[in-house]
Every structure is written in structure tokens, then in C-alpha cells.
Amino acid sequence: MRLVAFHYAGQDSPLVYINPDQVVAVRQFTSSTHIYVSVLHKDGGPRYYPVRESLEEVVSLLTER
């Protein structure tokens, strides 16, 4: 399993490690990029991680092998 490190777009800005094989979508917002993963929240809604990297950086990091 390959994990990619991203800077979580929260107050403390810790690192979050994401498995590229579980990513289903990536969406850019004004102050963050959301990485959506295949695991749903307990309420059935989509689970995503807001990160500080740009859309281009996220896609590049997720797709490099």
C-alpha cells in the first residue's frame, strides 16, 4: 500500500496520509482542495479530506508511481 502525505487544512495543519487507491474524486475550493475517498461517513455521506495543496499538486502526487 502506498501512502501520500498532504497538509490537512485545519487549525493545526498536521499531515494526513492518503492511499491513492481509495481516492474517487478531487475538487478545488478557494482555500483548500478536497480529496474524496471511497469510505463513507457513518451517516452515508461522502468522506473527504481538505488539504492545503493545490489541485495540480494533489493530482500530481496521487498519480505518480
Side-chain angles (χ1 to χ4, degrees):
M1 169 178 48
R2 184 170 79 94
L3 296 174
V4 179
F6 294 96
H7 294 93
Y8 189 76
Q11 288 180 328
D12 295 331
S13 188
L15 291 177
V16 59
Y17 292 86
I18 296 177
N19 179 348
D21 294 334
Q22 299 297 313
V23 174
V24 295
V26 178
R27 184 174 179 195
Q28 186 171 11
F29 288 89
T30 304
S31 60
S32 65
T33 301
H34 290 188
I35 301 173
Y36 293 83
V37 295
S38 59
V39 178
L40 299 177
H41 277 285
K42 61 183 172 183
D43 66 0
R47 178 172 296 224
Y48 64 88
Y49 295 92
V51 298
R52 297 188 182 275
E53 286 79 7
S54 71
L55 178 65
E56 292 79 14
E57 290 173 303
V58 169
V59 171
S60 176
L61 288 168
L62 290 172
T63 58
E64 65 183 40
R65 289 267 174 190

